[in-house]
Amino acid sequence: MGIVIASTGKALPEFKLENEQLSKLVDTNSQWIIDRTGIETRHIAIKETGLDLAVKAAEEAMGDMDKDSIELILVATVTPDMLVPSMGALVKKTLGLKNAIAYDINAACSGFIYGLWNAEALMKTHKIKRALIIGVERLTRITNWEDRGTCVLFGDGSGCAVLEHSDSKKGIMSSFVKNYDDVTNCLTVDMQYLNTPFADDEPKEPYIHMNGTQVFRFAVGAIGEVMDAVLQKAGIKADDVKYYVPHQANVRIIQSAAQRIKQPIEKFQVSIRTTGNVSAASIPMALADLMKSGKVRPGDKIMLVGFGGGLSAGAILFEAI
Ligand code: ACO
């Protein structure tokens, strides 16, 4: 009957970087970071690879499921360990998921939403039984540790959801994604390629460059638009949604999303305090936190909502099983 979110998992690196430590690196202080972003601490992968984190999150989500039943792996990331093989292919090999088609998706912080959007369509069209949708990032490797405007924001981690076909349950009720043009280049990360013997390209800095105020404004507008779109498609009201799981970029963006849709902030999952912004991994990690909280009951309607570089945005509305 539908595609359901059957289970979730999450993995964080061991090392925690506190706000206090950041104030020794750049001209900032813990109170500014908490007041302006809501972030108190974040995890940074020192020993772990992205693959380690993705595999750990996937193992937690899969539990004792039959490995051969996984027929699709989509990994959303802007910081893959390698360009080739894809992270999807690496996860498939490491976990021995021999029946899975595997590849990566780059839609920046909206990557997990785009992954679910792709997976739902593919699973329905190709009658795929089960899929792993993973968000994984080591954002701290593309962070400029001398830029106080960005280095206080980011962290590393991974989250995973198992999607499966259900004959009796509705699962995903509606989905909506949208791309807006980043006309002012307010959120970019350059690639650092080698020169060919034929041209001397100017070296580029492989760091996150961001105009925070512009991204903030975009986020608030786009979140409102995509939340309205999934509600309208499903024919329900914001009041009918039990929990909202937004991208964890800034607690003030989450608060303004709650105001925009006239819902109490208590309905919104806030995980950013201990993780920072982990781009494509933020939403699946926050979803895993919500599912583990014990609050969710079968039939509860949950909305996932994200925005990010591209500029991209999207939302997924589903019923918990
Ligand atoms: N510590 C202390 N002061 C700081 C810091 C810091 N870490 N960073 C900036 N400031 C200063 C600025 O220099 C500025 O000082 P000035 O007034 O003397 O010029 C002042 O604080 C205010 O700066 P703003 O940039 O206007 O601060 P704002 O309230 O907008 O907060 C922030 C900045 C947190 C970046 C916010 O704009 C934001 O969260 N934007 C959205 C970011 C986002 O959502 N990114 C998602 C995508 S990221 C990705 O895709 C990987």
Side-chain angles (χ1 to χ4, degrees), residues 27-29 32-33 36-37 108-109 139 148-149 152-154 187 208 210 212-213 215-216 219 247 249-250 252-253 277 279 307-309:
D27 181 14
T28 190
N29 61 79
W32 189 96
I33 301 171
R36 306 308 291 164
T37 72
C109 303
L139 273 197
R148 69 175 181 169
V152 301
L153 303 174
F154 304 119
L187 184 49
I208 298 169
M210 185 178 73
T213 310
V215 175
F216 198 103
H247 174 44
N250 187 320
R252 291 187 294 137
I253 295 178
N277 177 350
S279 192
F307 62 90

Side-chain angles (χ1 to χ4, degrees), residues 70-75 87-89 91-93 97 100-104 130-134:
I70 307 289
E71 296 173 337
L72 177 70
I73 305 166
L74 298 183
V75 179
M87 289 297 279
V91 168
K92 172 186 154 69
K93 185 171 81 168
L97 305 176
I101 305 293
Y103 55 94
D104 294 355
R130 273 194 181 134
L132 295 185
I133 317 304
I134 299 170

Side-chain angles (χ1 to χ4, degrees), residues 44-88:
I44 295 189
I46 296 170
K47 291 184 273 178
E48 305 86 348
T49 63
L51 179 62
D52 293 335
L53 297 170
V55 162
K56 205 168 162 203
E59 281 176 332
E60 186 175 295
M62 284 164 59
D64 57 6
M65 275 174 196
D66 173 15
K67 286 185 174 184
D68 294 351
S69 68
I70 307 289
E71 296 173 337
L72 177 70
I73 305 166
L74 298 183
V75 179
T77 185
V78 295
T79 50
D81 289 352
M82 306 174 81
L83 281 179
V84 180
S86 68
M87 289 297 279

Side-chain angles (χ1 to χ4, degrees), residues 8 17 37 43 108 124 167-168 236 306:
T8 56
L17 182 71
T37 72
H43 292 250
K124 284 183 170 163
D167 293 334
S168 54
I236 64 166

Side-chain angles (χ1 to χ4, degrees), residues 153-191:
L153 303 174
F154 304 119
D156 301 331
S158 180
C160 174
V162 176
L163 295 196
E164 66 185 28
H165 255 288
S166 168
D167 293 334
S168 54
K169 309 235 164 65
K170 202 185 294 180
I172 295 178
M173 301 168 68
S174 63
S175 56
F176 181 79
V177 294
K178 179 164 176 177
N179 279 82
Y180 308 73
D181 292 333
D182 185 359
V183 284
T184 59
N185 292 327
C186 65
L187 184 49
T188 58
V189 185
D190 273 312
M191 296 285 275

